[in-house]
Amino acid sequence: MIGVIDTDGECAEWAFPAEPGAVRTARHAVRGKLRAWGLDSVGDVTVLLVSELVTNSLRYASGPIGVRLVRPNPAVGSSSGSAALLVEVSDPLPDPPRERVAKPDDEGGRGLQLVAGSAQRWGTRHGKSGKTVWFELAVPGE
């Protein structure tokens, strides 16, 4: 069972148990909220990156995985001047993820490369109990 803290306003948050089904459930929840907000234009890339980060959390952490979306406010915009969707994935593991270069035959190791190559900005921050990996995606027309 997922813990849902889903708001109707500018933010949506979910907490998923550290179980294999969390990736699929997170993708579904994120895509549904983006559709509800009329942000289908960033749906595919957002779902891909959330899948990668939730998978990383499952691989290395044992506690709940948080996913948070913050809807862009077109009047404010991001530091780059355009509106951006903020996405955060949190877990109880304090160690930040390490970006690495995957070899052609590696089955993993590309998640952070995908985030870095797709997001306009990304990073990590420590929390009271773990860490958060965040990224921003430009929203066309916002």
Side-chain angles (χ1 to χ4, degrees):
M1 183 79 175
I2 69 169
V4 178
I5 311 163
D6 192 357
T7 64
D8 291 329
E10 300 297 317
C11 177
E13 297 180 59
W14 303 270
F16 303 100
E19 300 171 352
V23 177
R24 181 182 65 247
T25 308
R27 282 194 306 256
H28 180 73
V30 166
R31 187 169 303 277
K33 182 48 80 175
L34 292 176
R35 278 193 186 124
W37 283 346
L39 298 177
D40 287 325
S41 62
V42 294
D44 289 341
V45 69
T46 304
V47 167
L48 171 67
L49 300 181
V50 166
S51 293
E52 291 294 331
L53 294 177
V54 170
T55 298
N56 282 351
S57 291
L58 280 173
R59 179 172 285 165
Y60 300 109
S62 60
I65 300 163
V67 176
R68 182 172 182 254
L69 304 177
V70 179
R71 186 177 186 174
N73 181 347
V76 176
S78 71
S79 62
S80 64
S82 63
L85 174 70
L86 173 64
V87 181
E88 300 174 333
V89 176
S90 303
D91 65 49
L93 189 68
D95 303 325
R98 293 183 321 219
E99 190 175 359
R100 65 184 181 104
V101 177
K103 297 175 186 148
D105 292 336
D106 287 349
E107 291 189 21
R110 292 174 182 82
L112 289 178
Q113 287 179 314
L114 286 170
V115 172
S118 301
Q120 65 183 22
R121 294 185 332 139
W122 77 278
T124 62
R125 69 174 180 274
H126 292 286
K128 292 179 184 173
S129 60
K131 64 155 175 326
T132 298
V133 179
W134 61 269
F135 62 89
E136 290 182 349
L137 294 173
V139 178
E142 288 288 315

